[in-house]
Amino acid sequence: FVLGAGVGMCMQNLVLVVQNTVSPTQIGTATSAVTFFRTIGGTAGMSAMGAILTHRIADYLKDPMGQLVAKMQQNPDPAILGDLKLLQSGTMPKPADLSPAVRTIVESAYGHGIGDVFLYASPVAIIAILAIIFLPNIPLGTKSNAERRVEKPRTGPVPVVASTE
């Protein structure tokens, strides 16, 4: 909840900051740039965090599954052996379909892995908070883009229209 609320409250405000600081003729470009880089950052972040999650889950499954396999060699249980073969194939079944012993191990691995991902992502969140804190305080504009364009005429080269002669 805290993560979702924090991200949700920052995203649109950062777009407004960019829109408030650029020329009225550049609002579309600035807004699309913010959206583009947010999308690229989100994609890269999700890929990196997904890779970390997968690696951590594999680490958390290694020892308990090894112990369970050793236990099954002494006292085989067909349900647990079937679950172990299914997990070894790389398929992730629904946790409700797993035997209680295997389900506990898998749920624990996912819980710890997700906790690790949040821990690894926290430095990035702290850097983002610091960057937001150090943004210059510029009062929010009170005029629409059309009103701002009338006040501040277009600057830069005048577009040349090709002659049809």
Side-chain angles (χ1 to χ4, degrees):
F1 173 79
V2 172
L3 178 68
V7 169
M9 285 188 234
C10 285
M11 282 185 144
Q12 191 57 35
N13 289 337
L14 294 175
V15 173
L16 287 173
V17 166
V18 169
Q19 289 175 341
N20 195 47
T21 56
V22 298
S23 163
T25 60
Q26 298 297 318
I27 284 182
T29 304
T31 303
S32 65
V34 169
T35 304
F36 173 74
F37 286 110
R38 182 188 314 163
T39 303
I40 294 297
T43 302
M46 289 299 292
S47 297
M49 294 300 127
I52 291 170
L53 177 64
T54 302
H55 179 73
R56 297 306 298 156
I57 288 171
D59 285 348
Y60 284 121
L61 285 175
K62 197 177 296 176
D63 288 340
M65 286 297 182
Q67 293 170 1
L68 190 58
V69 167
K71 185 178 176 184
M72 287 298 102
Q73 289 174 347
Q74 296 169 358
N75 188 14
D77 180 346
I80 293 176
L81 289 174
D83 290 344
L84 291 174
K85 286 180 185 175
L86 187 63
L87 289 172
Q88 228 175 10
S89 71
T91 304
M92 183 57 211
K94 292 190 303 185
D97 294 343
L98 295 172
S99 59
V102 176
R103 180 178 42 227
T104 302
I105 293 170
V106 170
E107 287 174 349
S108 176
Y110 270 86
H112 289 301
I114 290 170
D116 288 352
V117 167
F118 276 93
L119 181 66
Y120 296 155
S122 61
V124 176
I126 291 169
I127 291 169
I129 288 171
L130 291 173
I132 290 169
I133 288 171
F134 289 110
L135 281 174
N137 189 11
I138 300 172
L140 187 60
T142 58
K143 297 180 180 176
S144 71
N145 195 40
E147 292 170 332
R148 288 176 59 197
R149 288 182 102 172
V150 169
E151 283 181 2
K152 187 176 183 180
R154 182 182 180 131
T155 58
V158 177
V160 177
V161 178
S163 172
T164 57
E165 296 175 12

